[in-house]
Coordinates of all heavy atoms in Angstrom, one line a residue:
F137 N -68.2 80.8 -65.1 CA -67.0 80.4 -64.4 C -66.5 81.5 -63.6 O -66.3 82.6 -64.1 CB -65.9 79.9 -65.4 CG -66.3 78.6 -66.1 CD1 -66.5 78.7 -67.5 CD2 -66.3 77.4 -65.5 CE1 -66.8 77.5 -68.2 CE2 -66.6 76.2 -66.1 CZ -66.9 76.3 -67.5
K138 N -66.2 81.2 -62.3 CA -65.7 82.2 -61.4 C -64.3 82.5 -61.8 O -63.5 81.6 -62.1 CB -65.8 81.7 -60.0 CG -65.3 82.7 -58.9 CD -65.3 82.1 -57.5 CE -64.7 83.0 -56.5 NZ -64.8 82.4 -55.1
S139 N -63.9 83.8 -61.7 CA -62.5 84.2 -61.9 C -61.8 84.5 -60.6 O -62.4 84.8 -59.6 CB -62.4 85.4 -62.8 OG -63.0 86.5 -62.1
D140 N -60.5 84.3 -60.5 CA -59.7 84.5 -59.3 C -58.3 84.9 -59.8 O -57.5 84.0 -60.1 CB -59.7 83.4 -58.4 CG -59.1 83.7 -57.0 OD1 -58.0 84.3 -57.0 OD2 -59.8 83.4 -56.0
E141 N -58.0 86.2 -59.8 CA -56.7 86.6 -60.3 C -55.5 86.1 -59.5 O -54.5 85.7 -60.1 CB -56.7 88.2 -60.3 CG -55.4 88.8 -60.9 CD -55.4 90.3 -60.8 OE1 -56.4 90.9 -60.4 OE2 -54.4 90.9 -61.3
I142 N -55.6 86.1 -58.2 CA -54.5 85.7 -57.4 C -54.2 84.2 -57.5 O -53.1 83.7 -57.7 CB -54.8 86.0 -55.9 CG1 -54.8 87.6 -55.8 CG2 -53.7 85.5 -55.0 CD1 -55.2 88.0 -54.4
K143 N -55.3 83.4 -57.4 CA -55.1 81.9 -57.5 C -54.7 81.5 -58.9 O -53.9 80.5 -59.1 CB -56.4 81.2 -57.1 CG -56.6 81.3 -55.6 CD -57.8 80.5 -55.2 CE -58.1 80.6 -53.6 NZ -59.3 79.9 -53.2
S144 N -55.2 82.2 -59.9 CA -54.8 81.9 -61.3 C -53.3 82.2 -61.5 O -52.6 81.4 -62.1 CB -55.6 82.8 -62.3 OG -56.9 82.3 -62.4
A145 N -52.8 83.3 -61.0 CA -51.4 83.6 -61.1 C -50.5 82.6 -60.3 O -49.5 82.2 -60.8 CB -51.1 85.0 -60.5
Q146 N -51.0 82.1 -59.2 CA -50.3 81.1 -58.4 C -50.2 79.8 -59.2 O -49.2 79.1 -59.2 CB -50.9 80.9 -57.0 CG -50.1 80.0 -56.1 CD -50.7 79.9 -54.7 OE1 -51.7 80.7 -54.4 NE2 -50.2 79.0 -53.9
A147 N -51.4 79.4 -59.8 CA -51.4 78.2 -60.6 C -50.4 78.2 -61.8 O -49.7 77.3 -62.0 CB -52.8 78.0 -61.1
R148 N -50.4 79.4 -62.5 CA -49.4 79.5 -63.6 C -48.0 79.4 -63.1 O -47.1 78.8 -63.7 CB -49.6 80.8 -64.3 CG -50.8 80.9 -65.2 CD -50.8 82.1 -66.1 NE -50.7 83.4 -65.3 CZ -51.7 84.0 -64.8 NH1 -53.0 83.5 -64.9 NH2 -51.6 85.1 -64.2
R149 N -47.7 80.1 -62.0 CA -46.4 80.1 -61.4 C -45.9 78.7 -61.0 O -44.8 78.3 -61.2 CB -46.3 81.0 -60.2 CG -44.9 81.2 -59.7 CD -44.9 82.3 -58.6 NE -45.2 83.6 -59.1 CZ -46.4 84.2 -58.8 NH1 -47.3 83.6 -58.1 NH2 -46.6 85.4 -59.3
N150 N -46.8 77.9 -60.5 CA -46.5 76.6 -59.9 C -46.5 75.5 -61.0 O -45.7 74.5 -60.9 CB -47.4 76.2 -58.8 CG -47.2 77.1 -57.5 OD1 -46.3 77.8 -57.4 ND2 -48.2 77.0 -56.6
F151 N -47.4 75.6 -61.9 CA -47.7 74.4 -62.8 C -47.4 74.6 -64.3 O -47.7 73.7 -65.1 CB -49.1 73.9 -62.6 CG -49.4 73.7 -61.1 CD1 -50.6 74.3 -60.6 CD2 -48.6 73.0 -60.3 CE1 -50.9 74.1 -59.3 CE2 -49.0 72.8 -58.9 CZ -50.1 73.4 -58.4
S152 N -47.0 75.8 -64.7 CA -46.8 76.0 -66.1 C -45.4 76.6 -66.3 O -44.7 76.9 -65.4 CB -47.8 77.0 -66.7 OG -47.6 78.3 -66.3
D153 N -45.0 76.7 -67.6 CA -43.7 77.3 -68.0 C -43.9 78.8 -68.2 O -43.0 79.4 -68.9 CB -43.2 76.6 -69.2 CG -42.9 75.1 -68.9 OD1 -42.5 74.8 -67.8 OD2 -43.1 74.3 -69.9
F154 N -45.0 79.4 -67.8 CA -45.3 80.8 -68.1 C -44.2 81.7 -67.6 O -43.8 82.7 -68.3 CB -46.6 81.2 -67.4 CG -47.1 82.5 -67.8 CD1 -47.9 82.7 -68.9 CD2 -46.9 83.6 -67.0 CE1 -48.4 83.9 -69.3 CE2 -47.3 84.9 -67.3 CZ -48.1 85.0 -68.5
Y155 N -43.6 81.4 -66.5 CA -42.5 82.3 -65.9 C -41.1 81.8 -66.1 O -40.2 82.4 -65.7 CB -42.8 82.5 -64.4 CG -44.1 83.2 -64.0 CD1 -45.2 82.5 -63.7 CD2 -44.1 84.6 -64.1 CE1 -46.4 83.1 -63.4 CE2 -45.3 85.2 -63.7 CZ -46.4 84.5 -63.4 OH -47.6 85.1 -63.1
D156 N -40.9 80.7 -66.8 CA -39.6 80.1 -66.8 C -38.6 81.0 -67.5 O -37.4 81.0 -67.0 CB -39.7 78.8 -67.6 CG -40.3 77.6 -66.7 OD1 -40.6 78.0 -65.5 OD2 -40.3 76.5 -67.1
D157 N -38.9 81.7 -68.5 CA -38.0 82.5 -69.2 C -37.5 83.7 -68.4 O -36.4 84.2 -68.6 CB -38.6 83.1 -70.5 CG -38.8 82.0 -71.5 OD1 -38.1 80.9 -71.4 OD2 -39.6 82.2 -72.4
C158 N -38.2 84.0 -67.3 CA -37.8 85.2 -66.5 C -37.7 84.7 -65.0 O -38.0 85.4 -64.1 CB -38.8 86.3 -66.6 SG -38.8 87.1 -68.2
S159 N -37.3 83.5 -64.8 CA -37.2 82.9 -63.5 C -36.1 83.6 -62.7 O -35.0 84.0 -63.3 CB -36.9 81.4 -63.6 OG -36.6 80.9 -62.3
D160 N -36.3 83.8 -61.4 CA -35.3 84.4 -60.5 C -34.1 83.4 -60.3 O -33.0 83.8 -59.9 CB -35.9 84.7 -59.2 CG -36.9 85.8 -59.3 OD1 -36.7 86.7 -60.2 OD2 -37.8 85.9 -58.4
I161 N -34.3 82.1 -60.6 CA -33.3 81.1 -60.4 C -32.7 80.8 -61.8 O -33.3 80.2 -62.6 CB -33.9 79.8 -59.8 CG1 -34.6 80.1 -58.5 CG2 -32.8 78.8 -59.6 CD1 -35.3 78.9 -57.9
T162 N -31.4 81.2 -62.0 CA -30.8 81.1 -63.2 C -29.5 80.3 -63.1 O -28.9 80.3 -62.0 CB -30.5 82.4 -63.9 OG1 -29.7 83.2 -63.0 CG2 -31.8 83.2 -64.2
S163 N -29.0 79.7 -64.1 CA -27.7 79.1 -64.1 C -26.6 80.1 -64.1 O -26.8 81.3 -64.4 CB -27.5 78.2 -65.3 OG -27.6 78.9 -66.5
E164 N -25.4 79.7 -63.7 CA -24.3 80.6 -63.6 C -24.0 81.2 -65.0 O -23.6 82.4 -65.1 CB -23.0 79.9 -63.1 CG -23.1 79.4 -61.7 CD -21.9 78.7 -61.2 OE1 -20.9 78.6 -62.0 OE2 -21.8 78.3 -60.1
E165 N -24.2 80.4 -66.1 CA -24.0 81.0 -67.4 C -24.9 82.0 -67.8 O -24.7 82.9 -68.6 CB -24.0 79.8 -68.4 CG -22.9 78.8 -68.3 CD -23.2 77.8 -67.2 OE1 -24.3 77.8 -66.6 OE2 -22.3 76.9 -66.9
E166 N -26.1 82.0 -67.2 CA -27.2 82.9 -67.5 C -27.3 84.1 -66.6 O -28.2 84.9 -66.7 CB -28.5 82.2 -67.6 CG -28.5 81.2 -68.7 CD -29.8 80.4 -68.8 OE1 -30.5 80.4 -67.7 OE2 -30.2 79.8 -69.8
E167 N -26.5 84.1 -65.5 CA -26.7 85.2 -64.5 C -26.4 86.6 -65.1 O -27.0 87.6 -64.6 CB -25.7 84.9 -63.4 CG -26.2 83.8 -62.5 CD -25.2 83.6 -61.3 OE1 -24.1 84.2 -61.3 OE2 -25.5 82.8 -60.4

Side-chain angles (χ1 to χ4, degrees):
F137 291 110
K138 179 183 177 181
S139 64
D140 192 309
E141 181 180 1
I142 296 176
K143 290 184 178 179
S144 285
Q146 187 176 352
R148 284 193 301 279
R149 186 176 294 107
N150 291 347
F151 309 128
S152 78
D153 298 328
F154 187 85
Y155 294 98
D156 281 4
D157 291 338
C158 293
S159 174
D160 292 332
I161 304 175
T162 58
S163 63
E164 293 181 0
E165 295 80 3
E166 295 176 339
E167 284 181 352

